[in-house]
Amino acid sequence: MRDILERQQVWIYFATVALAAILGFALSGTGELEGGINSALAFMLFVTFLQVPLPEIGRGFRETRFLGALLVSNFIAVPILAFLLSQFAIDDALLRLGILMVLLTPCIDYVITFAHLGRADARLLLSSTPILLLVQMALLPIYLGLFIGEEAANLVHIGPFLHAFVWLIAVPLICAGAVQLWAARHTTGQRVSDVLGFLPVPATALVLFLVVAATVPVLGAASRHALSALPIYIAFAVTAPFCGWGIARAFGLKPAAGRAVSFSSATRNSLVVLPLALAVPGAIPVLPAVIVTQTLVELIAELIYIRVFPRFGRAHEDQAPSA
């Protein structure tokens, strides 16, 4: 069953997104599902972390070339790309604020799940999440000040970032470590771990369903802004992975680590940025619609990435001598 789920995961996700979109348009009240997104995300990351050998995570901090490539891609190359793309948006301050808020912040949560599914080194990404969090917290106000003015930069607060890290990364990680320790010492723990090993694909499908069903209703209220942002997000989804891959190659990373940089470069922190956006005066409905549009584009892109990215560097892997 686990093999079947993993082989058919792309079609499962596409069907989930389609069903959620239909329900979001057809039924009223699906926006209330937003309250379950963080819980579903935490569970998805918990079962994903179970698939990663957590005792090896500490080794990721010694991978200085990987961290260098990750930081250069996310905080030099991607900001330049985001700024250039934002210039194609209509002349609206809130629209550009929303586009830049989401494109300037690398994901620290479900990117790990998709990286794992796309044969990237999820361990390295997991170990880098504290660094990504701290750097984006420090640089987001600076970049917003440079790109659209100091007044916009002052609207950003660190509270949602810290909340997301604690509940979406730290707590699931501790729980996964406890289950792995239990599984290593007791057969009951091993059986529980085996059962939980079936759940990454269903848990990811649940997150996709909740995000799409909860956010589709807000698109209509600011459709002009959302449609203006749409081609920018599509261009970003196509371009950013290759920026990450090129930088990873320049740093001489192995294919799996290079794929991790590509995933991180292309995947943004929309679910964390959304509370930040809602705190901006006059944000509704423009900022939520603009950020939600990026989420929907990204979710579809991730389903493509997990099929395409494993081909990145495959020739190099095939030529590598077996252990």
Side-chain angles (χ1 to χ4, degrees), residues 190-259:
Q190 183 61 56
R191 285 195 291 269
V192 169
S193 180
D194 290 342
V195 171
L196 292 172
F198 287 91
L199 298 182
V201 173
T204 303
L206 175 62
V207 170
L208 292 176
F209 179 86
L210 292 175
V211 169
V212 174
T215 55
V216 159
V218 308
L219 295 179
S223 56
R224 184 173 70 95
H225 295 83
L227 289 174
S228 175
L230 183 61
I232 293 171
Y233 293 146
I234 293 174
F236 182 88
V238 172
T239 309
F242 292 100
C243 289
W245 179 253
I247 290 169
R249 291 291 299 273
F251 274 77
L253 299 184
K254 294 180 180 179
R259 293 181 201 120

Side-chain angles (χ1 to χ4, degrees), residues 59-75 124-125 127-132 247 251 253 257 261:
R59 290 166 48 190
F61 287 102
R62 298 194 292 271
E63 299 282 351
T64 54
R65 282 191 301 167
F66 173 79
L67 289 176
L70 193 69
L71 294 175
V72 168
S73 182
N74 274 303
F75 300 112
L124 289 175
L125 269 185
S127 67
S128 69
T129 53
I131 297 172
L132 285 179
I247 290 169
F251 274 77
L253 299 184
V261 175

